[in-house]
Amino acid sequence: MFNIVFVEPCIPPNTGNAIRLAAITGCHLHLVEPLGFTMTDAQVRRAGLDYHDMATVTVHPNLEHLWDTVLPARVFAFSSHARTIFTDIAYVPGDVLMFGPEPTGLSEEVLADPHVTDQLRIPMLAGRRSLNLANSASIACYEAWRQHGFAGAALSVGAE
């Protein structure tokens, strides 16, 4: 499946929602420290509901540790300033979908990292700053998964 990366996330419910996203899609969620909360934070637990045990989540102390874990996968860094639209990519299993902290997005240093394959954006109306972090990850994840026919998903109502 795909790898979702949150670099230095700050808002606990966004990470909780991403845990839930990872559980229902089969993606691997990677969190790069420092985190703006603890993984035992009640808001993280509440947003993730009972999906924590079904999700694969790894916390990395820094980007180097992340690279050691996910490379040689392609790394797509999401930025509201990128030129390439996220739907213009043909995703492959194992691709990394990377997102920055809620208030600022990915730093210029991270965006310029040689491990980043491309920078992608999710279109939005002019004059708006950004989408919610968990929503952005969901949009990107579902596009990548859609391109692979929602592999492994129960596609009919009532399917197990």
Side-chain angles (χ1 to χ4, degrees):
M1 195 38 108
F2 303 96
N3 294 286
I4 300 168
V5 175
F6 283 4
V7 177
E8 300 178 7
C10 298
I11 301 175
N14 280 331
T15 298
N17 286 326
I19 290 169
R20 190 172 181 175
L21 174 67
I24 65 172
T25 62
C27 289
H28 186 152
L29 177 63
H30 300 268
L31 305 173
V32 180
E33 294 180 324
L35 309 181
F37 49 84
T38 66
M39 289 302 289
T40 57
D41 189 299
Q43 292 179 314
V44 172
R45 305 282 319 159
R46 189 175 312 116
L49 297 175
D50 56 348
Y51 289 91
H52 291 266
D53 293 339
M54 293 182 265
T56 303
V57 180
T58 303
V59 178
H60 302 276
N62 53 49
L63 274 177
E64 288 308 315
H65 190 270
L66 172 74
W67 299 143
D68 289 344
T69 303
V70 301
L71 294 178
R74 299 185 308 169
V75 177
F76 295 105
F78 282 74
S79 169
S80 59
H81 306 291
R83 296 186 193 278
T84 305
I85 297 176
F86 79 107
T87 52
D88 290 343
I89 299 298
Y91 296 97
V92 298
D95 279 349
V96 175
L97 312 174
M98 177 183 280
F99 301 86
E102 293 88 339
T104 60
L106 292 167
S107 70
E108 289 301 320
E109 179 182 351
V110 172
L111 291 171
D113 189 293
H115 297 106
V116 173
T117 305
D118 200 357
Q119 295 179 31
L120 308 179
R121 70 180 170 88
I122 298 170
M124 57 187 168
L125 294 176
R128 277 44 170 207
R129 287 181 303 155
S130 65
L131 283 165
N132 168 279
L133 176 60
N135 291 343
S136 296
S138 296
I139 290 167
C141 173
Y142 268 85
E143 172 59 17
W145 197 22
R146 181 198 65 78
Q147 290 182 12
H148 292 273
F150 299 108
L155 297 177
S156 60
V157 176
E160 295 295 318

